[in-house]
Amino acid sequence: MKERINQLNEQLRDASAEEVLECVIKQFNGKICFASSMGAEDQVLTAMIAAINPATHIFTLDTGRLFNTTLSLIGNTRERFNVRIDVLFPEAAAVEKMVNEKGVNLFYESVENRKLCCNIRKVVQVRRALVGMDAWISGLRREQSVTRAHMNIVEWDEEFGLVKINPLISWTEEQVWEYIRKNNIPYNPLHDNGFRSIGCQPCTRAVKPGDDLRSGRWWWEDADKKECGLHEFRKSEDSHPA
């Protein structure tokens, strides 16, 4: 698999995002899916995927703490691109146990509590969605945070045990919004009110012009800890399977 990943990175090094998607959707032939958070980058990818192969499996997560605008966007996106977007929900019993033991807003108390909440509301559901898949597509960009600065177009995802494809990895935020405006793609209106990165409501806030892109996410934590467990990156040759 390491050799295949290296070959794909070499093959796709100068490819456009659409060319990356066309290649991997064909190569992984029904064993690839797209995980959308309904963010700006993911809306771009949904538009591209719908044009290439609208039957590609797309899913999103309803954590139970999302903004209403995010929930509305799911329906608007389905209608705009005529695609199916499966919505996954956390296990009620696990959420109930966590909240009763640690409180409704446990995530403000420690990184450990916040990661527990993210795991129950997000990671477990993604793990379920990836069963039987060989690859998944994400909207990660190097510009987004220090934890993503060294990622490639194609990575081995150690956490989930499959290939991760990042078609927009080298895109700038300006490129994302240029594509959205040019193609009239629906997006979360919170982006027009200072929300540059949108997650769960209690863990997301607007930022000031010039602030770091993800400074409004888990703003009480250090920048190098701001991942929820879906995109943990280990820069190591040993992270690839033989």
Side-chain angles (χ1 to χ4, degrees):
M1 184 59 73
K2 177 181 176 181
E3 182 178 352
R4 185 181 185 186
I5 288 172
N6 289 339
Q7 289 174 346
L8 280 171
N9 274 316
E10 180 63 26
Q11 175 185 346
L12 300 172
R13 181 175 54 187
D14 299 317
S16 67
E18 290 94 339
E19 289 169 340
V20 170
L21 287 168
E22 286 179 3
C23 174
V24 298
I25 289 173
K26 181 178 179 180
Q27 285 216 14
F28 290 99
N29 190 26
K31 294 285 187 176
I32 188 170
C33 61
F34 171 43
S36 173
S37 68
M38 311 308 296
E41 292 83 2
D42 292 338
Q43 292 300 95
V44 168
L45 289 173
T46 297
M48 292 179 178
I49 290 170
I52 295 166
N53 184 352
T56 303
H57 181 210
I58 303 174
F59 70 91
T60 191
L61 308 177
D62 183 347
T63 65
R65 303 299 299 267
L66 298 180
F67 290 91
N68 284 335
T69 52
T70 304
L71 297 174
S72 296
L73 185 59
I74 298 173
N76 294 340
T77 304
R78 283 170 167 164
E79 182 176 352
R80 169 72 166 76
F81 298 111
N82 194 27
V83 292
R84 172 172 174 165
I85 301 176
D86 290 334
V87 182
L88 306 184
F89 299 86
E91 295 293 333
V95 174
E96 185 178 277
K97 181 176 185 293
M98 175 183 67
V99 170
N100 285 333
E101 290 181 355
K102 294 181 176 290
V104 174
N105 293 328
L106 68 155
F107 32 80
Y108 294 133
E109 298 176 6
S110 68
V111 174
E112 291 73 25
N113 276 1
R114 197 268 297 164
K115 288 191 173 183
L116 172 65
C117 189
C118 287
N119 184 68
I120 288 174
R121 294 183 185 274
K122 299 170 70 174
V123 179
V124 171
Q125 278 44 261
V126 170
R127 194 177 302 281
R128 174 162 58 95
L130 296 181
V131 171
M133 294 289 144
D134 292 334
W136 69 311
I137 301 163
S138 86
L140 300 185
R141 296 187 296 106
R142 293 192 188 102
E143 188 186 67
Q144 289 170 328
S145 69
V146 295
T147 59
R148 301 173 181 182
H150 301 290
M151 298 190 80
N152 295 315
I153 295 172
V154 184
E155 299 277 352
W156 174 254
D157 191 322
E158 186 73 20
E159 179 67 26
F160 297 108
L162 76 175
V163 176
K164 179 186 284 185
I165 314 295
N166 308 304
L168 304 182
I169 197 67
S170 63
W171 278 38
T172 64
E173 187 177 14
E174 289 73 20
Q175 284 178 288
V176 171
W177 285 104
E178 181 182 357
Y179 190 95
I180 286 174
R181 296 185 185 101
K182 180 180 179 181
N183 295 281
N184 193 29
I185 294 172
Y187 63 89
N188 196 320
L190 288 175
H191 287 303
D192 295 330
N193 295 308
F195 288 79
R196 297 177 70 192
S197 177
I198 303 171
C200 291
Q201 186 169 12
C203 300
T204 306
R205 67 179 182 181
V207 299
K208 298 176 183 177
D211 283 353
D212 181 74
L213 176 62
R214 284 172 64 82
S215 59
R217 299 288 296 276
W218 309 303
W219 59 90
W220 60 93
E221 296 182 5
D222 293 336
D224 61 355
K225 296 183 175 66
K226 291 187 177 185
E227 292 291 356
C228 63
L230 297 181
H231 304 296
E232 300 290 349
F233 179 62
R234 302 169 179 84
K235 187 64 176 176
S236 169
E237 289 299 318
D238 296 332
S239 68
H240 297 292

